[in-house]
Amino acid sequence: GAGNVQAAIDYLDAGPEQPFCLFLPTSFPHCPYHAHPPYHDMYDPKDLPPLRPLGEGKPDYVDLIRRNRRLDELDDNVFRKINAVYLG
């Protein structure tokens, strides 16, 4: 929220002495995963190409995000439906 943004600004204004990486997500990129008709059902998940394999060529934090948000508990069919809705 706004508190996180202000904390990041304050940190940058303080002039950090060491190199750093600042990750500041301000919202989820695509939530919620729904669409109005006819777009929600425009594509059948079974007609889409297979999902990309997990973890191949990805930095370690991708797996951490996946576990932290409990995405690793979801079935591939959920991700296939999300993909179909996103494309619609």
Side-chain angles (χ1 to χ4, degrees):
N4 290 340
V5 172
Q6 187 58 55
I9 291 169
D10 293 344
Y11 181 78
L12 295 171
D13 283 344
E17 296 179 20
Q18 298 291 321
F20 66 95
C21 173
L22 178 65
F23 176 68
L24 183 65
T26 56
S27 67
F28 291 111
H30 302 290
C31 293
Y33 290 103
H34 72 278
H36 296 286
Y39 308 106
H40 187 273
D41 295 314
M42 184 176 282
Y43 297 103
D44 187 332
K46 292 180 237 161
D47 295 335
L48 298 178
L51 297 170
R52 289 182 280 169
L54 295 174
E56 287 188 19
K58 305 276 184 178
D60 291 340
Y61 71 84
V62 172
D63 185 54
L64 293 173
I65 291 170
R66 186 174 174 81
R67 287 185 307 197
N68 186 49
R69 294 186 181 165
R70 297 173 59 184
L71 300 175
D72 57 337
E73 298 175 15
L74 298 177
D75 184 88
D76 277 356
N77 291 324
V78 173
F79 291 106
R80 293 185 65 74
K81 180 60 180 178
I82 290 170
N83 192 23
V85 172
Y86 178 79
L87 294 171

